Amino acid sequence: MTEFKNKITLIVLGKSFRSFFKHFKHFKPLLILLSAIILYSCDTNHYNASVFSYNGHVQMVVEIPAGTNVKYEFNLQSKTFETDTVDGLQRTVRFLPYPGNYGFIPSTLMDSAKGGDGDALDVLLLSSAAEQGKLIEIIPVAVLKLLDHGEKDDKIIAIPADEKLRMIDCETLTCFQEAHPNAIKIINLWFTGYKEDMKFVGWGDEREAMETINNWKK
């Protein structure tokens, strides 16, 4: 009896497989598309993420969570976050910790041939600490224009697109300056004070921040 049931099972399975392969050509494009989506989602190269999300918001990748002082950078070759080193020693900020979540806007490059520092465009997100490696939708509020040893080292200042994550609810530089003038001063003083030869050039508003992002977009 058991042998008979096994034969019936094999027959049913055989018919199922024959039916699947008969119609496989109809599903092949869908399977290829699904495979591509899975491979893309598994890509941990944060530099390859889009500048803009599906919702149309600018995106950033968190390298250094707010309130910490170890200098992490995303390594393009190893696709991991590694501590920056100077003369073989781990680089830490010997100053106040980062006043926001620090990271970069993916798919951007401040081309050294055009006066940039050769890295992705930096961004400071004004919110509570976020997890390293997290991709976050943001709203650029301003651009802090700096020179680092003569090279452009602009910093996009942003707030979370998600209103629930915001500490500062200003989407324009004018609002930010009027509502939080001391925060503006702190950000300026922090970036010009945490390392030598960092010079303040000026502030740009939210429109100039978007222009800066688009100018350095790859």
Side-chain angles (χ1 to χ4, degrees), residues 46-66:
H46 295 277
Y47 269 96
N48 287 344
S50 175
V51 173
F52 299 98
S53 69
Y54 291 113
N55 296 321
H57 291 298
V58 177
Q59 302 189 111
M60 74 165 288
V61 176
V62 177
E63 289 180 301
I64 306 170

Side-chain angles (χ1 to χ4, degrees), residues 139-202:
I139 295 178
V141 174
V143 53
L144 175 60
K145 303 174 188 178
L146 300 167
L147 287 177
D148 185 0
H149 293 85
E151 295 179 334
K152 287 184 180 180
D153 195 12
D154 297 340
K155 313 293 182 184
I156 299 298
I157 309 302
I159 61 173
D162 186 346
E163 296 182 4
K164 298 188 296 295
L165 301 177
R166 296 180 186 176
M167 297 188 299
I168 292 175
D169 198 15
C170 282
E171 296 188 9
T172 67
L173 178 59
T174 298
C175 172
F176 194 18
Q177 289 172 326
E178 292 177 352
H180 307 283
N182 289 329
I184 289 278
K185 294 177 183 176
I186 289 170
I187 293 170
N188 189 348
L189 288 170
W190 193 89
F191 277 107
T192 55
Y194 89 101
K195 65 183 295 188
E196 296 179 358
D197 297 318
M198 184 73 83
K199 294 182 179 180
F200 171 71
V201 177

Side-chain angles (χ1 to χ4, degrees), residues 45-51 76 104-111 114 118-121 212-218:
N45 188 348
H46 295 277
Y47 269 96
N48 287 344
S50 175
V51 173
L76 186 58
F104 62 88
I105 296 176
S107 294
T108 61
L109 179 66
M110 297 188 71
D111 193 347
K114 298 178 181 178
D119 293 324
L121 182 59
T212 300
I213 294 168
N214 286 316
N215 285 341
W216 296 115
K217 186 168 63 173
K218 292 192 288 186

Side-chain angles (χ1 to χ4, degrees), residues 22-55:
K22 181 180 179 181
H23 299 288
F24 175 77
K25 62 181 179 179
H26 300 297
F27 295 100
K28 190 174 181 180
L30 179 60
L31 291 172
I32 293 173
L33 177 61
L34 288 173
S35 298
I37 292 172
I38 291 170
L39 287 172
Y40 180 80
S41 64
C42 292
D43 186 2
T44 55
N45 188 348
H46 295 277
Y47 269 96
N48 287 344
S50 175
V51 173
F52 299 98
S53 69
Y54 291 113
N55 296 321

